[in-house]
Amino acid sequence: MPFAVRALCLASVTVLGVAPVSVADDDWSVVPSAGGGIHDGRPSFYAEGAPGTVLQDTVSVRNPGGRPLTVRLRGADVGNEGDGTLSTPARAKDTGAWITFAERTVRIPARTRADVPFTVSVPADTTPGDHPGAILASARGRTAAVRIQLRVGGPTLPALTVEHVRIHDDRISYELVNRGTTVLTPKLAVRAEGLFGGVLDRAPRALPVELLPGRRVRLDEPWPDPPALDGVDVELRVTAEGGARAEAAAQAWFVPKAAAVTGALAGLAVCAGGALWCVRRVRRARRVRGVRDVQGVRGVRGVRLRGRPGSVEDARQPRTEVESTGAVR
């Protein structure tokens, strides 16, 4: 049946075939549906198509409670937070904006399930690769989500980089960037080489992160027992499906805190001693220069200063004395 006709029929409503039991009114859920409105156990929607195609599916909202439920549906994009957790931005620009529901607001009677058809209209200029999205259902103060894994046909590129590696006292921090067009589940291997050999060697292991196309995440690799005194070269190697791989390295010195303080004090002492030595050298040089200047004047042999300022007499000439009588001896 064409989607336009199904939209006119609105959402189908089916009574749940269960005996009346005590169920909390807020114990509702949203799940994928198979043909005929039966829940097929899929954890999420998977759709694949070329740019310009329109994909169709059905979502089910189950209300096992004892009173009616009004649910509002909307499409959303899915992205990574800075620490790698998944999130849904308030405003959809990709897959979430391409979703159209047969009915956005659905009223579901007690102990009933509503099956709501929807379409995903892929724009003709969409980049090939993975475009993760979600369907969000909101009711009674809470929101539930079901993922949509959409792959647009065409050539894909798995690629990633490792950046900003930093070595701390108890961990190694780094950033992963998905520079390709597919969702990646990366694996990390770590190796550290010290002055006297290897100090860390960890085999590749899957990281607890789903790295979406174009996203950057910051992660920490625990290192609770680094060397106490060593200089290390740390190398990170990351791989992912499709042949994506990247490497990055960093260097660091590990020095005990007591040794660092002692070294700092010793450095200050050396600097202070050097400064004092320089000051004494300068003072001594000035004193020596002053003495030489005086000796340069007094060192003229046979000459001394007498009489009025500026007069010079030869010490080798007979001394004359002038008496008050005016006679000269």
Side-chain angles (χ1 to χ4, degrees):
M1 179 184 299
F3 179 75
V5 177
R6 294 163 66 185
L8 292 176
C9 297
L10 299 180
S12 61
V13 176
T14 304
V15 177
L16 298 178
V18 295
V21 294
S22 177
V23 179
D25 288 337
D26 61 352
D27 191 24
W28 57 271
S29 61
V30 55
V31 294
S33 294
I38 301 175
H39 179 215
D40 61 0
R42 291 180 293 169
S44 61
F45 293 101
Y46 179 83
E48 185 172 355
T53 60
V54 178
L55 307 173
Q56 301 182 13
D57 212 317
T58 303
V59 62
S60 292
V61 183
R62 302 166 62 89
N63 177 23
R67 57 178 179 147
L69 175 71
T70 300
V71 177
R72 292 175 176 81
L73 301 172
R74 68 179 180 91
D77 298 337
V78 174
N80 287 116
E81 294 290 336
D83 61 355
T85 57
L86 299 178
S87 63
T88 54
R91 183 179 180 183
K93 299 180 180 179
D94 200 70
T95 304
W98 307 339
I99 299 175
T100 302
F101 297 96
E103 190 176 16
R104 295 183 63 88
T105 301
V106 183
R107 181 175 173 81
I108 309 169
R111 292 178 290 277
T112 303
R113 182 190 71 234
D115 300 316
V116 183
F118 68 92
T119 62
V120 181
S121 301
V122 183
D125 59 350
T126 301
T127 303
D130 293 332
H131 294 261
I135 292 176
L136 302 183
S138 301
R140 293 176 184 164
R142 74 178 179 93
T143 299
V146 56
R147 288 278 304 275
I148 296 179
Q149 302 181 52
L150 172 63
R151 169 158 289 193
V152 178
T156 58
L157 174 65
L160 58 80
T161 57
V162 186
E163 303 176 3
H164 302 145
V165 179
R166 299 288 186 273
I167 303 173
H168 307 274
D169 291 338
D170 58 350
R171 71 190 190 283
I172 304 169
S173 65
Y174 60 97
E175 293 183 5
L176 288 184
V177 186
N178 187 340
R179 300 193 178 278
T181 59
T182 61
V183 177
L184 301 177
T185 305
K187 294 182 179 181
L188 173 68
V190 183
R191 179 172 177 78
E193 193 79 16
L195 296 177
F196 305 101
V199 295
L200 181 65
D201 190 3
R202 294 180 181 173
R205 65 178 182 86
L207 296 174
V209 62
E210 185 179 355
L211 190 57
L212 307 184
R215 304 294 178 170
R216 175 188 296 269
V217 299
R218 184 186 182 280
L219 302 174
D220 289 326
E221 177 70 10
W223 194 6
D225 53 349
L229 178 62
D230 204 350
V232 297
D233 295 320
V234 176
E235 181 184 38
L236 304 184
R237 180 176 300 174
V238 182
T239 58
E241 56 273 21
R245 59 182 298 134
E247 296 179 358
Q251 298 78 37
W253 282 92
F254 289 96
V255 179
K257 293 182 179 180
V261 172
T262 303
L265 293 177
L268 290 175
V270 171
C271 292
L276 181 59
W277 180 81
C278 291
V279 170
R280 289 181 175 177
R281 289 273 298 180
V282 171
R283 289 179 177 176
R284 180 182 178 188
R286 288 178 178 176
R287 287 198 302 268
V288 171
R289 186 167 58 250
V291 170
R292 288 177 179 174
D293 291 343
V294 173
Q295 290 177 347
V297 174
R298 295 181 177 177
V300 179
R301 298 185 60 183
V303 177
R304 62 179 178 179
L305 303 179
R306 296 188 67 233
R308 64 179 181 275
S311 64
V312 179
E313 298 180 358
D314 191 339
R316 293 173 294 182
Q317 297 296 328
R319 182 178 178 182
T320 61
E321 295 180 359
V322 179
E323 295 181 340
S324 61
T325 61
V328 177
R329 293 181 184 179

